[in-house]
Amino acid sequence: MVAATASYLAARQLQGRWLLRIEDLDKPREQPSATANIIQTLDAYGFEWDGEILYQSQRQDAYQAALATLQMHTYSCTRSRKGLPTLPAIRVRTPDDPICFTDNIQGNYCQRLSRDVGDFVLLRADGLFAYQLAVVVDDAFQGVNQVVRGADLLDNTPRQIWLQQLLGLPQPNYAHVPLVLNEFGQKLSKQNLAPALNTSERLQTLVAALRFLQQPCPDACEFSSLSACWDWAIAHWDMHHLKPSQA
């Protein structure tokens, strides 16, 4: 909710388009109702996306074409499992020079991929395309020029910039917002048993998200509707209130 709110406000304040992408690459692990629940929750909270929803599961040809373009920079890597050979994963070679960018919230960030990450997977041994390749291809395809997302993806960004450079694709601007954590310092997620958003308290939840994002939002009772709260948030959104934080 927090990351979606921040990205929505950043786009709307600049009169830009807010795009909805369903990252459903790993179909075997996807819960049958997961996609429908995401779309229904966003709609219930008043998010209005532009254009058609993009489903990564329907973009295999585009990822395969990008992988073919990267052929000179990739290699196959086969590992046996319990003594049995498996299909090879495809990895991309990483540079020794640091890759740096300026995040609109976190500030300057650098990573030496060869040392900090190593050659990373673009096509998994089970035949599924990796997130790093898919997101780079889809950002370019959709004309994304501003990415606002959670700080847990900050260290993914240099890998994506490296792929953008290899593929000759434009580099968006990035902003990584702080994460909402539980009492154990873990990101709120299904894996950590976080409860689903309560759509019966939408206005209160939106106000809480805005305050977490350091926006001086009035109390929920001061808004006549959810739409009125969104109007206030768009008019007053200021990313400069957010402090650098990776968690």
Side-chain angles (χ1 to χ4, degrees):
M1 178 67 182
V2 166
T5 298
S7 65
Y8 188 77
L9 295 176
R12 289 293 183 246
Q13 191 178 72
L14 295 175
Q15 298 183 335
R17 300 170 69 236
W18 191 71
L19 306 176
L20 178 55
R21 180 189 303 163
I22 302 297
E23 295 175 347
D24 55 349
L25 287 170
D26 198 345
K27 280 293 186 182
R29 295 180 57 189
E30 183 183 347
Q31 296 295 322
S33 60
T35 295
N37 288 340
I38 291 171
I39 295 171
Q40 290 169 6
T41 301
L42 289 173
D43 182 62
Y45 271 88
F47 291 92
E48 298 178 353
W49 50 90
D50 296 289
E52 296 183 358
I53 301 172
L54 185 145
Y55 295 85
Q56 289 190 329
S57 60
Q58 300 174 5
R59 298 269 299 152
Q60 304 300 304
D61 290 347
Y63 308 145
Q64 187 62 55
L67 190 62
T69 301
L70 293 169
Q71 185 174 3
M72 293 182 59
H73 306 282
T74 61
Y75 62 93
S76 299
C77 178
T78 304
R79 293 184 179 179
S80 62
R81 299 177 63 183
K82 296 182 179 179
L84 297 175
T86 64
L87 294 174
I90 297 180
R91 293 177 177 267
V92 62
R93 296 181 182 89
T94 51
D96 293 328
D97 295 335
I99 291 182
C100 302
F101 71 100
T102 301
D103 188 89
N104 289 334
I105 297 172
Q106 308 297 338
N108 294 329
Y109 185 84
C110 292
Q111 204 175 63
R112 194 180 298 272
L113 290 178
S114 61
R115 180 193 65 194
D116 300 333
V117 177
D119 299 345
F120 56 94
V121 172
L122 301 182
L123 181 67
R124 292 174 11 184
D126 57 8
L128 296 178
F129 287 99
Y131 164 79
Q132 307 295 353
L133 179 64
V135 72
V136 165
V137 171
D138 289 339
D139 281 349
F141 174 73
Q142 294 186 288
V144 172
N145 57 18
Q146 182 174 207
V147 174
V148 181
R149 58 191 181 189
D152 55 328
L153 294 172
L154 178 66
D155 66 355
N156 284 227
T157 308
R159 278 171 273 179
Q160 294 165 19
I161 292 173
W162 176 233
L163 292 178
Q164 290 159 1
Q165 292 174 356
L166 293 178
L167 290 166
L169 300 177
Q171 177 183 323
N173 293 315
Y174 291 97
H176 289 82
V177 302
L179 303 178
V180 181
L181 306 178
N182 63 20
E183 62 271 27
F184 303 108
Q186 300 168 321
K187 174 188 173 183
L188 292 186
S189 65
K190 289 183 179 179
Q191 288 82 358
N192 295 321
L193 305 179
L197 288 176
N198 186 349
T199 55
S200 67
E201 298 179 350
R202 293 170 295 171
L203 184 53
Q204 293 87 341
T205 301
L206 178 57
V207 168
L210 291 169
R211 289 179 173 176
F212 180 84
L213 291 166
Q214 305 300 311
Q215 308 302 301
C217 186
D219 292 336
C221 61
E222 297 188 35
F223 295 106
S224 60
S225 64
L226 186 67
S227 177
C229 185
W230 276 121
D231 289 343
W232 181 94
I234 293 169
H236 294 85
W237 171 248
D238 188 349
M239 193 178 290
H240 295 96
H241 290 315
L242 289 167
K243 306 299 181 185
S245 169
Q246 295 184 33

